[in-house]
Amino acid sequence: MFDHVIVAIDGSPASFQAAQIGARLKAKGRAVLDLVCSYEAPPELTARLGLTSSSEEEQERCGDDLDSARAALGSQVTVRERAILRGTPAHSILRFAEEAGADLVCVGSGRHQLRLGSVSAAVTRRASTSVVVVPAGVSSGPGIRHILLGYDGSEPARVAASRAGAIAAALGAKLNIVIARPGEGTPPAEEGSTDDEDEAMLADARRLAQQAGAETVESSTTYGEPPQVLLDQAEALQVDLIVVGASGRSGKRRLGSTSHRLAARSDRPVLVVR
């Protein structure tokens, strides 16, 4: 779980769902959750001509959106701060997160034609901390009951395994671990085959997750393009959250390097762990 969660609110349903996800991933006790809304001040001439909203109107909109997000959370979580930030949204959100020492940023994705929204894309690429991207259309549902971890044996993936295990333990969720290997079908067994390597990696991932507290852990190797493998597995298993490391090993798996594409294409929340 996370000790300091920041949720970016922009008035969209996806950002309100990001607040719900952030509340579920916030650790109990002293952990805090902040809501932020960012706006860019319009150029003076453009504003004077009435071609866009004024700064005052944007601030008021942000205030209303933050109030709505807080109301949507109800009594399930205490919001420590509601901040209105002026400036380029992605930069403002990341600067606030860095200054606050946050360990998780939650953003909704305003996707258009299956492309990740520009703000959430920039936050995912540039953040120095973990990020959850929540796509449009996600329902708050019954909570996070089933988690899928994409694993490639890299150090970021090992960190993600521990994080996924801790989340599964705290929420009583089931955890599936998948190694996505490019190619089709099962290769013939041969000396030094990667089957043994995969099983060793899966055993390592299970150990890390179980050490973090996860109880129900299943694992497998699946062939195909890594992002699509994870998307297919997420659909088949009906998981509530996909977890990946932010950057993976160079070489034939390269799972972590696809985290942005995964977040862009997923129809369910994706946690990119750093």
Side-chain angles (χ1 to χ4, degrees), residues 6-10 34-38 66 81 83 85 93 96:
I6 289 175
V7 183
I9 300 296
D10 62 6
D34 294 334
L35 301 176
V36 302
C37 179
S38 179
L66 291 172
E81 184 173 356
L85 312 176
I93 293 164
F96 183 94

Side-chain angles (χ1 to χ4, degrees), residues 27-93:
K28 295 181 180 179
R30 289 188 161 184
V32 299
L33 184 145
D34 294 334
L35 301 176
V36 302
C37 179
S38 179
Y39 73 95
E40 289 189 81
E44 183 178 349
L45 178 59
T46 303
R48 192 184 309 145
L49 294 175
L51 299 179
T52 187
S53 301
S54 67
S55 295
E56 292 77 12
E57 289 172 325
E58 288 298 298
Q59 290 183 56
E60 183 176 355
R61 176 192 61 79
C62 267
D64 291 342
D65 289 343
L66 291 172
D67 288 342
S68 296
R70 177 64 191 89
L73 289 172
S75 60
Q76 64 178 302
V77 64
T78 298
V79 174
R80 188 192 68 168
E81 184 173 356
R82 288 175 286 184
I84 298 177
L85 312 176
R86 176 174 174 173
T88 305
H91 177 73
S92 299
I93 293 164

Side-chain angles (χ1 to χ4, degrees), residues 36-167:
V36 302
C37 179
S38 179
Y39 73 95
E40 289 189 81
E44 183 178 349
L45 178 59
T46 303
R48 192 184 309 145
L49 294 175
L51 299 179
T52 187
S53 301
S54 67
S55 295
E56 292 77 12
E57 289 172 325
E58 288 298 298
Q59 290 183 56
E60 183 176 355
R61 176 192 61 79
C62 267
D64 291 342
D65 289 343
L66 291 172
D67 288 342
S68 296
R70 177 64 191 89
L73 289 172
S75 60
Q76 64 178 302
V77 64
T78 298
V79 174
R80 188 192 68 168
E81 184 173 356
R82 288 175 286 184
I84 298 177
L85 312 176
R86 176 174 174 173
T88 305
H91 177 73
S92 299
I93 293 164
L94 292 174
R95 182 178 60 191
F96 183 94
E98 182 175 357
E99 292 175 351
D103 56 354
L104 178 66
V105 177
C106 304
V107 291
S109 172
R111 294 185 299 173
H112 177 62
Q113 296 181 344
L114 298 182
R115 294 184 179 181
L116 190 60
S118 58
V119 174
S120 55
V123 169
T124 304
R125 285 194 306 267
R126 293 160 46 192
S128 59
T129 190
S130 297
V131 175
V132 167
V133 178
V134 180
V138 170
S139 169
S140 58
I144 298 173
R145 304 290 179 82
H146 199 165
I147 299 169
L148 177 67
L149 169 69
Y151 194 75
D152 66 0
S154 64
E155 188 56 33
R158 300 184 82 249
V159 174
S162 295
R163 184 70 77 175
I167 294 170

